[in-house]
Amino acid sequence: MKFTRPTGTQDILPEVQPYWEHILRHTTTLARQYGFARLDTPIFEKTQLFARGVGAGTDVVEKEMYSFRDKGGHELTLRPEFTAGTVRAYIENGMRVAPQPVKLYATGPAFRYERPQAGRFRQLHQFNAEIIGSPSPLADLEIMLLAWDIYETLGIQGLSFQLNSTGCPKCRPSYIEELKAHYQAHFDVICDDCKRRLETAPLRVLDCKKDQCQPVIAAAPKITAHLCSECADHFATLRSYLDDLGRPYTLNHRLVRGLDYYTKTVFEVWAEGIGAQSAVCGGGRYDGLVQLLGGPATPAVGFAAGLERMVMVMQAQGIAVPPLPTPPVFVVHLGKAARLPAVRLLVTLRQAGVGAQIAMGGSLRSQLRQANKRGARIALLVGEDELAQGGVTLRDLARGEQRYVPLGQVVAAVRERLG
RNA sequence: GUGGCUGUGGCCUAACGGUUAAGGCACCUGUCUGUGGAACAGGAAACUGUGGGUUCGAAUCCCAUCAGCCACCCCA
């Protein structure tokens, strides 16, 4: 095979498109219902935007970016996530003068240079939602409700909502000091990865899966016990909303996320069915990002949902989606003299809004076979006999009945048959 | 970046180191010169991922490489 798709990319074949169309329609319909407006940003941005926004020390920036220099010498990067570009657009387009908060959704591909595995791709697709311009826990709630609604109404089973707060620049540093002190005391038992993490991303030690680290994690100080009063109030209020609405969630003090911009609320939606990956959606609050990227101090909250993970979970759980419509009419023509009349008929049907296709050639048998295989409900036969009478033979493929129909009545007869 | 498993027509699978790599699905054609689905018959389609090596002889054994899958790191 000379050409194969690049590692970690996929051909989304016609057979799976019903899932994609269904999910896209579902997510965008819900987002609009919640008052979100669509924003499309470029698939690539200046590299510096991500380096600054996502965080120079994160894995995403350090080793996963598809970066390149264009012919003008500009350093560009295929977006590894949506939030940085969305915030850039908010600032650049002066959205701070729009009614606040601004509620935006986006969908499309993102790119990360990683080793592929179950549920992980180098070109991935996300549905993204952001509320920019409100510090209220109500904004967090809205984001979480939308995320929850998307998965629940898709019919996915076994969902779990993981929730935590990672504090803010006021309370997090002192917590990290305490966490580091705790780990220093157990430095001899923790794994090498955690020794490294302690320097590069201390919060991530809480996420370690190695057996030897579990007792250390269990005994580690919990950040939720070290939040400043503002963060603690925010978290308590959000939880009271969720409790009042009866939305189940799991407090997970080990939930820390790999992007630098998160403050206060962080959450993930977990589902079963994709090997080692359980997170189908992740998000949280990022109150410092707008200012960090050069805008006015503006609080915000959002989430990203992985579309291929949605497809995979739905397939694993056997959730059916509606089939995509195919043309109900197939035009069959016999002999050279019938070709042009058949094409005219085809065009007439389409102009009348009836889906129709035509055989490119072959015997009557062969053309009817094609009609059957393509799932047509009606075959319209145009041959010598029909031409002589000035009409067509309308064959109902499900019933196996057929009758002659004058040309002028074909559209009406087809519509009647299709109900 | 690290580790494990796997590469045979479009898809699924068979072939003790020994002739022209076999079968099923799908595709096309015919049986039926103007009638689909079923059946039957036929056809097209693979230099066995690639490159080396061992051997009289390699799909089969060895090495390398590439790709896929899975896991780690990390994330959707």
Side-chain angles (χ1 to χ4, degrees):
Chain A
M1 188 120 13
K2 197 163 186 183
F3 294 111
T4 55
R5 50 184 200 271
T7 295
T9 62
Q10 280 189 300
D11 296 317
I12 303 174
L13 300 173
E15 300 88 272
V16 289
Q17 290 295 342
Y19 281 95
W20 286 84
E21 292 216 15
H22 182 253
I23 287 169
L24 241 28
R25 188 163 10 90
H26 182 77
T27 49
T28 58
T29 301
L30 271 178
R32 288 213 181 88
Q33 202 173 79
Y34 273 64
F36 288 75
R38 177 161 181 152
L39 168 73
D40 286 316
T41 62
I43 283 175
F44 55 87
E45 297 270 2
K46 291 177 183 169
T47 297
Q48 203 47 36
L49 174 69
F50 300 119
R52 184 84 70 78
V54 177
T58 60
D59 275 11
V60 167
V61 169
E62 234 171 36
K63 51 187 197 187
E64 295 177 4
M65 293 207 301
Y66 272 95
S67 298
F68 60 99
R69 186 193 292 266
D70 73 7
K71 292 185 180 182
H74 308 288
E75 299 286 353
L76 302 170
T77 294
L78 301 181
R79 65 181 174 205
E81 53 102 54
F82 282 66
T83 302
T86 301
V87 168
R88 192 227 80 230
Y90 173 91
I91 299 168
E92 183 170 351
N93 294 287
M95 292 189 201
R96 63 168 152 167
V97 304
Q100 301 295 297
V102 171
K103 298 160 75 176
L104 300 166
Y105 76 89
T107 187
F111 304 84
R112 292 180 195 171
Y113 188 88
E114 297 183 273
R115 291 290 294 267
Q117 71 183 77
R120 169 173 303 157
F121 306 93
R122 288 187 178 177
Q123 175 174 339
L124 56 125
H125 297 79
Q126 294 189 328
F127 175 84
N128 199 264
E130 317 279 359
I131 298 179
I132 306 175
S134 170
S136 169
L138 270 179
D140 305 51
L141 178 72
E142 281 282 78
I143 282 292
M144 292 178 74
L145 289 177
L146 175 58
W148 186 259
D149 248 16
I150 284 172
Y151 290 95
E152 183 129 279
T153 57
L154 231 29
I156 293 172
Q157 305 290 313
L159 289 168
S160 110
F161 224 140
Q162 303 288 313
L163 180 65
N164 195 19
S165 173
T166 56
C168 69
K170 275 180 283 182
C171 50
R172 195 186 308 164
S174 62
Y175 168 73
I176 287 176
E177 285 315 307
E178 222 174 294
L179 184 66
K180 278 184 175 173
H182 170 74
Y183 266 76
Q184 294 298 345
H186 302 279
F187 203 75
D188 48 329
V189 301
I190 62 176
C191 70
D192 291 342
D193 279 337
C194 281
K195 287 174 181 163
R196 180 179 50 79
R197 288 188 186 106
L198 226 39
E199 296 308 313
T200 57
L203 287 178
R204 299 219 61 89
V205 298
L206 296 170
D207 202 24
C208 185
K209 289 162 196 132
K210 293 254 170 42
D211 286 345
Q212 66 205 91
C213 297
Q214 298 313 307
V216 186
I217 294 170
K222 293 186 168 74
I223 188 165
T224 45
H226 292 73
L227 297 175
C228 62
S229 61
E230 184 190 323
C231 288
D233 284 350
H234 185 95
F235 196 45
T237 307
L238 173 60
R239 288 179 58 190
S240 74
Y241 294 153
L242 291 169
D243 291 340
D244 185 68
L245 289 169
R247 300 287 165 144
Y249 60 90
T250 304
L251 275 187
N252 183 349
H253 75 276
R254 296 175 57 172
L255 180 68
V256 291
R257 298 184 46 75
L259 310 182
D260 278 0
Y261 50 65
Y262 287 111
T263 56
K264 294 192 170 75
T265 312
V266 291
F267 70 92
E268 288 184 355
V269 180
W270 290 358
E272 288 162 11
I274 328 180
Q277 321 302 329
S278 50
V280 289
C281 171
R285 180 163 276 283
Y286 49 96
D287 288 342
L289 186 58
V290 180
Q291 187 165 35
L292 182 70
L293 294 179
T298 309
V301 57
F303 74 79
L307 300 187
E308 25 289 272
R309 288 187 184 181
M310 278 191 215
V311 172
M312 293 173 84
V313 168
M314 290 180 76
Q315 288 177 329
Q317 298 190 0
I319 298 169
V321 293
L324 263 17
T326 53
V329 176
F330 197 93
V331 177
V332 171
H333 53 98
L334 288 145
K336 205 171 171 184
R339 263 182 228 163
L340 219 43
V343 170
R344 288 198 203 100
L345 176 62
L346 181 73
V347 171
T348 301
L349 285 162
R350 288 173 178 166
Q351 283 173 341
V354 178
Q357 53 189 330
I358 191 169
M360 304 304 154
S363 65
L364 172 59
R365 164 181 302 281
S366 160
Q367 291 189 50
L368 280 170
R369 268 184 191 156
Q370 290 178 52
N372 189 52
K373 279 172 187 154
R374 288 171 192 277
R377 295 165 62 191
I378 291 171
L380 295 178
L381 280 59
V382 186
E384 282 179 27
D385 300 350
E386 288 82 1
L387 288 174
Q389 294 181 74
V392 304
T393 295
L394 186 158
R395 182 172 178 83
D396 186 318
L397 291 167
R399 299 176 177 218
E401 308 167 346
Q402 63 186 42
R403 68 187 169 93
Y404 173 80
V405 178
L407 208 51
Q409 296 169 28
V410 171
V411 171
V414 164
R415 283 207 174 112
E416 191 189 342
R417 278 280 168 182
L418 295 176

